[in-house]
Amino acid sequence: MITQSILNGLVLGGIYILVALGLTLILSIMGIVQLAHGEVYMLGAYAMYYLCVHAGLNFLLAILISAFLVGGLGVLLEKYFFRPFRGKMERALIISIGLILLLQNAVLVIAGGTPRAFASPFSGMISVLGVTLSLERLIVISVAFGLVLVLFFLIKMTKVGQAMVAISQDREVAALQGINIDRISSIAMFLGCAFAAVSGALVGALFSVSPFMGGFALMKGIAVIILGGMGSILGAVLGGLLLGLIDGVVPVYSTTHMAGLIGFGFIILILLFKPQGMLGREFE
Amino acid sequence: MNKIKLGFFVVLGFMFVITVSQNTYAQEAKTLKIGAVFALTGPAAAGIKDCMDGVQAAADWINKKGGITVKGQQYLIEVVPEDNKSAPDGIVAAANKLVYKDEVKFIVGPVVPGLSMAMTPITEKAKVLRCKVNGTGNKAEMKPGMLYTFSTFMEIQYVRSVYDYFVKSYPNAKKIAITGPDEPGGQAMVAVAKKEAEAHGLKVVFSELYPFGTQDFYPMLTKAMAQKPDVFDLGVGIAPWYAGIIKQARELGFTGPMFAPSATGNIYLIPMLAGKDFSYDIFFLDADLKSPKMPSIVKEARQQVSNKFGVDLTFGHGAGWESLWCLVQAIEAAQSLDTIKVAKVWEKMKSIETLYGEGTMSGLKDFGINHVVLKPRPLSRLEKGEIEFIKFISP
């Protein structure tokens, strides 16, 4: 039972990491908490549903197109909704709350409130030594860690990544060095939203797709980046894994409520001793 | 020329008569505003939005038949819809708006027991007559002193009959796992199910409530499966939750029967969300509304919902439909719009029409108040992803 519960926790950790990656990237580059990130994740799941079920596209191709479309939407959101309020955290927060309502209701009008589902091609089960896991859950873990590696590579090995690091450390100095803040912000938003779309697509295949699925993602995503440290990718990985393992293991030996209690208790404890989170830095 | 003139005046005369008669009709028919409060957003919306559409379809159907007649006065129903946002604060805001801004005297909804309980003090204080779409049977949902709160059914009244059916159909099942959402209705259902399971010779090896809106049931199911149950009672819930548990339990290797002594809101969603391969050996207190064995009124409701919304009738539509229809029957039986009089007549009604057959008023024994419609309920089975009607059961 312990092995099964750890595996459950790793899957949950994978989901949390997928959501938190985009959120933390946007936070570190743009300095805003994008509260509508859950809705972007939901849009990714809906794009996937329409591409797979209605357009009949291959699952992997549909994920790529969905990531590209939602990433593109992110670029528009950055340009028209967030750029005018750069550096004004409160206004950006209000904008993102407005976006939650706008995107949720737009999907409600277009797709209705009935949950949707689409089949993943990874539908088999793997059973080893009494531990069972569906292939689609294994894919979630793999994609989560794969995307972490992609992001690390991007940040460490590319000019764009280094520009992101510079902006996240000091936006004004980065601008004085000739870094195009607008362009890098657009790229960050594109990547953040594309990551959310990928996680929405994978989680949508795992559970179901509904206009309100973003609330859970946002709550967990924010918890992960608070725990791991605002703006830290490694922090998001560590925070996601920790919360995932707590949510996966504790309910097996106690209750789901106890998992919530321990998870959030742990966050409070970390914040008491390290207010910027485990691997984070302070934001002005 | 004279003939042309005569013809002209005859046509004019006809037009005058038609116009006057239409005006007279319009003057005679008054509007009765009836509030409808359901989860249109939030975690419960997925299975409950259909109830609101069912209310709207029923209002059109009743209006087409001439509306409500009280002492010769005709009233056409105007539904005032409100979203309770699946949350207590949402439903309190909706109830306050309906009662004090829209000044409705009659309300239908909601579905979720915890939300119903949150709005009860507002409607009771204002003497607004309310027909809940259903209830599970938590003692706080329906109790003496709630003079203006009625329900079209209470799930706990049917649990015994469902367990009767189960033990007859599965005599070899010995160990049961019982679950449900952690909200007042879910808690009440799990408590009743545990008693009934034991009374029917089943050993309850696992019992747990999951947080409202849970999607990943693997942790809970891992714990349940360790107890090697023969059967799962899924308690009360909505289709996406049931589908999540079914899919994930099957993934973890559970191949036995699963059932819920409760409706799903939309049983057709379950094979769609859980997958056809996993949708087997499952039954619900829900309806295959396409079955030819359904009463003719169900066919009328199907037609009405299909015409208005372009979708197939679901149990959720039907539940919304019944809440308005039962309320209307009570108003007509009382021949009054005074909520005090309607409530007094309603609780004594011996016969009340429902979609699934004739019902009567009950609840005195279970809740200390005769405010619950007791009616036949359809039991349906999921096998190879297909839904089939089994039979109607009554407590």
Side-chain angles (χ1 to χ4, degrees):
Chain A
M1 201 157 70
I2 181 72
T3 323
Q4 179 72 57
S5 56
I6 289 172
L7 211 54
N8 297 343
L10 285 176
V11 173
L12 283 171
I15 295 172
Y16 300 165
I17 291 168
L18 278 173
V19 177
L21 273 184
L23 204 56
T24 203
L25 187 67
I26 293 166
L27 175 68
S28 64
I29 308 300
M30 294 167 56
I32 56 163
V33 181
Q34 217 289 67
L35 293 180
H37 196 68
E39 275 52 49
V40 174
Y41 155 95
M42 174 266 290
L43 286 180
Y46 267 98
M48 191 68 188
Y49 165 75
Y50 281 106
L51 291 169
C52 280
V53 177
H54 292 273
L57 291 187
N58 166 283
F59 189 84
L60 293 176
L61 180 65
I63 284 195
L64 284 177
I65 296 176
S66 153
F68 187 78
L69 287 175
V70 176
L73 175 77
V75 172
L76 295 177
L77 291 181
E78 190 278 328
K79 187 170 181 184
Y80 296 107
F81 288 83
F82 294 115
R83 195 177 294 173
F85 303 106
R86 190 180 287 155
K88 296 165 186 161
M89 181 73 113
E90 303 83 5
R91 292 189 187 185
L93 274 176
I94 291 166
I95 288 286
S96 64
I97 291 169
L99 275 175
I100 292 176
L101 298 173
L102 186 77
L103 296 175
Q104 246 181 34
N105 286 296
V107 172
L108 263 176
V109 168
I110 296 164
T114 307
R116 312 281 173 183
F118 52 91
S120 153
F122 316 103
S123 55
M125 301 296 299
I126 298 169
S127 286
V128 182
L129 300 170
V131 178
T132 308
L133 193 71
S134 67
L135 209 52
E136 50 187 359
R137 285 178 178 248
L138 199 63
I139 294 292
V140 169
I141 306 176
S142 312
V143 171
F145 288 102
L147 284 181
V148 169
L149 289 178
V150 167
L151 203 55
F152 264 114
F153 173 80
L154 185 92
I155 285 170
K156 298 282 180 198
M157 314 287 275
T158 66
K159 269 192 172 180
V160 168
Q162 290 299 298
M164 284 180 181
V165 173
I167 292 174
S168 71
Q169 285 171 349
D170 194 318
R171 187 175 291 122
E172 283 175 15
V173 174
L176 287 172
Q177 296 292 321
I179 293 172
N180 185 336
I181 305 285
D182 289 349
R183 184 171 153 266
I184 299 298
S185 293
S186 282
I187 292 172
M189 193 71 173
F190 177 89
L191 286 174
C193 290
F195 283 0
V198 171
S199 64
L202 291 173
V203 174
L206 213 55
F207 305 128
S208 62
V209 180
S210 89
F212 312 106
M213 64 190 282
F216 160 82
L218 178 74
M219 193 185 74
K220 285 297 179 186
I222 287 184
V224 165
I225 63 170
I226 289 173
L227 177 63
M230 298 232 185
S232 162
I233 291 162
L234 201 59
V237 175
L238 204 58
L241 277 178
L242 267 171
L243 282 187
L245 284 170
I246 288 170
D247 286 354
V249 177
V250 173
V252 177
Y253 297 96
S254 178
T255 62
T256 311
H257 297 298
M258 185 57 80
L261 188 72
I262 291 176
F264 282 96
F266 189 62
I267 291 175
I268 291 170
L269 203 66
I270 289 286
L271 291 182
L272 280 175
F273 294 101
K274 211 163 180 299
Q276 66 272 35
M278 287 189 295
L279 301 173
R281 61 189 172 81
E282 285 184 42
F283 276 78
E284 285 177 13
Chain B
M1 188 68 182
N2 279 344
K3 277 185 182 174
I4 292 169
K5 265 187 182 173
L6 186 66
F8 176 74
F9 281 118
V10 168
V11 170
L12 207 64
F14 265 117
M15 285 172 69
F16 176 76
V17 169
I18 288 166
T19 310
V20 167
S21 66
Q22 277 183 340
N23 281 345
T24 309
Y25 178 82
Q27 278 167 7
E28 277 181 357
K30 291 184 179 174
T31 299
L32 179 66
K33 280 186 183 179
I34 296 181
V37 57
F38 294 101
L40 304 181
T41 57
I48 289 172
K49 189 189 164 290
D50 284 354
C51 292
M52 182 68 91
D53 294 346
V55 170
Q56 304 267 13
D60 286 359
W61 178 74
I62 292 164
N63 286 343
K64 263 188 213 163
K65 287 176 177 282
I68 308 171
T69 307
V70 176
K71 291 180 181 164
Q73 174 65 59
Q74 190 185 25
Y75 293 90
L76 297 179
I77 299 166
E78 183 195 328
V79 177
V80 185
E82 280 299 323
D83 176 13
N84 65 38
K85 299 181 172 65
S86 306
D89 56 341
I91 201 163
V92 166
N96 277 318
K97 180 185 171 285
L98 286 172
V99 172
Y100 297 109
K101 185 168 178 265
D102 301 315
E103 295 182 338
V104 300
K105 284 286 167 201
F106 302 95
I107 293 177
V108 291
V111 175
V112 179
L115 300 182
S116 174
M117 284 150 62
M119 81 180 288
T120 300
I122 299 165
T123 48
E124 285 289 325
K125 189 181 168 194
K127 296 179 182 170
V128 168
L129 193 64
R130 183 166 63 95
C131 184
K132 281 148 45 64
V133 155
N134 72 354
T136 53
N138 186 301
K139 295 290 178 199
E141 272 182 82
M142 186 67 75
K143 60 184 179 185
M146 286 187 181
L147 303 179
Y148 305 96
T149 306
F150 288 74
S151 180
T152 50
F153 64 92
M154 283 287 192
E155 298 284 13
I156 62 160
Q157 292 183 305
Y158 297 84
V159 176
R160 182 169 300 156
S161 307
V162 174
Y163 271 85
D164 286 346
Y165 170 80
F166 176 76
V167 292
K168 266 185 201 166
S169 309
Y170 298 87
N172 296 327
K174 301 290 175 219
K175 293 190 283 182
I176 188 165
I178 301 173
T179 184
D182 196 3
E183 60 88 46
Q187 293 156 7
M189 280 292 278
V190 167
V192 173
K194 278 160 98 173
K195 275 186 197 164
E196 286 301 331
E198 280 160 6
H200 284 77
L202 294 162
K203 187 180 177 193
V204 181
V205 292
F206 174 83
S207 161
E208 192 168 304
L209 296 159
Y210 55 82
F212 202 64
T214 298
Q215 280 197 307
D216 190 3
F217 296 97
Y218 258 48
M220 183 186 79
L221 290 170
T222 299
K223 192 159 94 176
M225 299 271 287
Q227 304 303 317
K228 299 189 177 1
D230 299 316
V231 53
F232 267 92
D233 173 347
L234 308 180
V236 71
I238 56 172
W241 304 346
Y242 288 133
I245 299 175
I246 290 166
K247 182 184 175 194
Q248 291 166 41
R250 297 291 192 224
E251 282 177 354
L252 286 170
F254 183 73
T255 54
M258 303 171 105
F259 72 94
S262 169
T264 69
N266 185 351
I267 196 168
Y268 303 106
L269 276 179
I270 290 177
M272 195 188 94
L273 298 177
K276 281 195 167 189
D277 292 345
F278 291 149
S279 302
Y280 63 87
D281 212 2
I282 300 160
F283 65 90
F284 287 104
L285 202 49
D286 206 315
D288 171 19
L289 296 159
K290 294 171 190 165
S291 166
K293 291 172 188 164
M294 287 293 124
S296 60
I297 184 69
V298 170
K299 286 168 195 146
E300 269 190 69
R302 267 188 84 189
Q303 192 63 48
Q304 188 72 29
V305 166
S306 171
N307 290 346
K308 192 167 175 69
F309 300 104
V311 294
D312 257 327
L313 181 76
T314 64
F315 191 87
H317 291 124
W321 177 293
E322 280 186 327
S323 64
L324 185 69
W325 192 22
C326 289
L327 174 66
V328 165
Q329 288 178 66
I331 293 171
E332 289 199 318
Q335 281 298 295
S336 172
L337 295 179
D338 178 348
T339 55
I340 301 170
K341 285 182 188 165
V342 177
K344 279 185 179 164
V345 170
W346 195 351
E347 62 186 13
K348 288 177 189 145
M349 282 172 74
K350 298 280 181 215
S351 169
I352 191 156
E353 284 183 82
T354 77
L355 284 178
Y356 309 110
E358 188 186 357
T360 186
M361 293 311 291
S362 75
L364 206 55
K365 187 178 146 215
D366 293 312
F367 311 106
I369 188 165
N370 224 37
H371 281 203
V372 182
V373 178
L374 195 69
K375 63 189 180 186
R377 296 266 309 273
L379 195 66
S380 298
R381 185 175 186 79
L382 270 171
E383 205 59 67
K384 293 178 185 168
E386 299 296 325
I387 298 140
E388 51 192 62
F389 170 74
I390 304 172
K391 63 174 183 173
F392 284 107
I393 62 166
S394 293

